[in-house]
Amino acid sequence: TDITSYALERLKRSKIREVHIIGRRGPVQAAFTTSELREMTKLEGSEMLLAEELIISEMDLQELKARQKKRLFDLIRSLNTRKLPDSKIAYLHFLKSPSEFLGENFLRSVRFERNQLRGLEPGKQYPVGTGIYEDIPCGIAFRSIGYRSRPIPGIPFNERTGTVPHLAGKILENGNTLDGFYVVGWLKRGATGIIGTNIMDAEETVDAIFNDIGSGALPSIEDSGNQKILEILKSRSIRVVSYQDWKKIDKEEIVRGQRIGKSREKLVLMEDIIKVIDGDVTF
């Protein structure tokens, strides 16, 4: 593993016996991958369990026609709902949203509202609260509910989805594409997907840019874009980490990991990263 040594040491001393993983949408819309879940099920001394029976709708069945989703759903469905004695447990919950943290001075429990999915077509369902609540006792909570983009003045923005309307990466306004304006990433599709999703997302937008360059829709630019950006950053005293700098960081992390039998030991402090880039690796 490339987890930092200090984090691994704290985990070894942890007294946590139960973890609850909560999803706002259903099992069919789960954002983790099949391989990630499978690795969780193989952790020694622990179990991955379903907190309750799964609920799926007719529209979910339409989404399950995608092979990748079906594979993941089948693995989720295969999980047990009963725990074995003396095991650490990770419970999977679906269709719940946190509404309130409860406790005085210390966290005692989290109140969740049960959700139902709404939407007019597969792949675009979204959670809506039902007004039914339940409390789950816990002593520590981590938020991992995605990222909502913020609007940029003058750029169209869908407040409900938190995204910019587009056609294959080209920004749309009143149904028409705006020449020279493009969008990519979560601002384009919402806080979903994995690395592979980002690659396809970026490729689509880059293709749109190249197509506009080829058709003349984009004006010619005399200044080199990369060089111009570097000049602006330098004028603002903003330090840039180049690819060659990154290779120094990568090499140092691998060397440090090899010393203690790991694939790498990550550098987590910016001051240490800068020292590696500057050639001072004596810290």
Side-chain angles (χ1 to χ4, degrees), residues 100-111:
E100 190 176 358
F101 293 101
L102 305 174
E104 296 181 3
N105 300 322
F106 298 98
L107 178 64
R108 299 300 182 190
S109 62
V110 179
R111 179 160 293 164

Side-chain angles (χ1 to χ4, degrees), residues 188-242:
K188 176 182 176 184
R189 68 179 190 275
T192 61
I194 55 178
I195 292 176
T197 314
N198 291 325
I199 292 173
M200 293 186 290
D201 181 303
E203 286 177 344
E204 180 182 60
T205 299
V206 171
D207 284 343
I209 295 172
F210 275 117
N211 289 336
D212 283 353
I213 292 174
S215 67
L218 281 180
S220 60
I221 301 175
E222 295 181 0
D223 295 320
S224 169
N226 179 60
Q227 188 58 39
K228 195 68 176 179
I229 291 173
L230 292 175
E231 290 174 3
I232 292 173
L233 292 173
K234 184 177 180 180
S235 70
R236 298 177 181 177
S237 300
I238 297 175
R239 179 156 187 169
V240 175
V241 176
S242 67

Side-chain angles (χ1 to χ4, degrees), residues 10 24 34 67 96 177 179-180 216 244 246 279:
R10 291 295 296 269
R24 292 171 296 167
T34 303
R67 184 180 303 175
K96 298 174 184 176
T177 57
D179 289 338
Q244 293 303 317
W246 176 85

Side-chain angles (χ1 to χ4, degrees), residues 56-110:
I56 61 171
S57 65
E58 288 296 324
M59 198 170 293
D60 286 335
L61 294 176
Q62 293 296 314
E63 292 191 36
L64 286 175
K65 291 180 179 180
R67 184 180 303 175
Q68 187 175 1
K69 279 185 174 289
K70 180 65 164 56
R71 218 170 23 236
L72 176 57
F73 177 75
D74 286 344
L75 180 57
I76 294 173
R77 188 169 55 181
S78 71
L79 299 177
N80 293 323
T81 56
R82 292 180 297 176
K83 66 179 182 179
L84 296 175
D86 302 323
S87 291
K88 294 181 178 180
I89 309 294
Y91 291 100
L92 268 180
H93 300 250
F94 296 101
L95 294 170
K96 298 174 184 176
S97 290
S99 65
E100 190 176 358
F101 293 101
L102 305 174
E104 296 181 3
N105 300 322
F106 298 98
L107 178 64
R108 299 300 182 190
S109 62
V110 179

Side-chain angles (χ1 to χ4, degrees), residues 164-173 175-178 181-183 188 204-205 207-209 211-212:
V164 168
H166 71 94
L167 177 64
K170 292 191 66 173
I171 293 178
L172 290 172
E173 185 173 40
N176 300 314
T177 57
L178 296 177
F181 289 86
Y182 307 88
V183 64
K188 176 182 176 184
E204 180 182 60
T205 299
D207 284 343
I209 295 172
N211 289 336
D212 283 353

Side-chain angles (χ1 to χ4, degrees), residues 105-134:
N105 300 322
F106 298 98
L107 178 64
R108 299 300 182 190
S109 62
V110 179
R111 179 160 293 164
F112 292 92
E113 182 176 12
R114 290 183 174 271
N115 295 327
Q116 60 183 9
L117 295 180
R118 290 184 182 174
L120 299 177
E121 56 183 292
K124 294 186 177 180
Q125 298 185 86
Y126 56 93
V128 176
T130 63
I132 301 173
Y133 297 86
E134 69 171 293

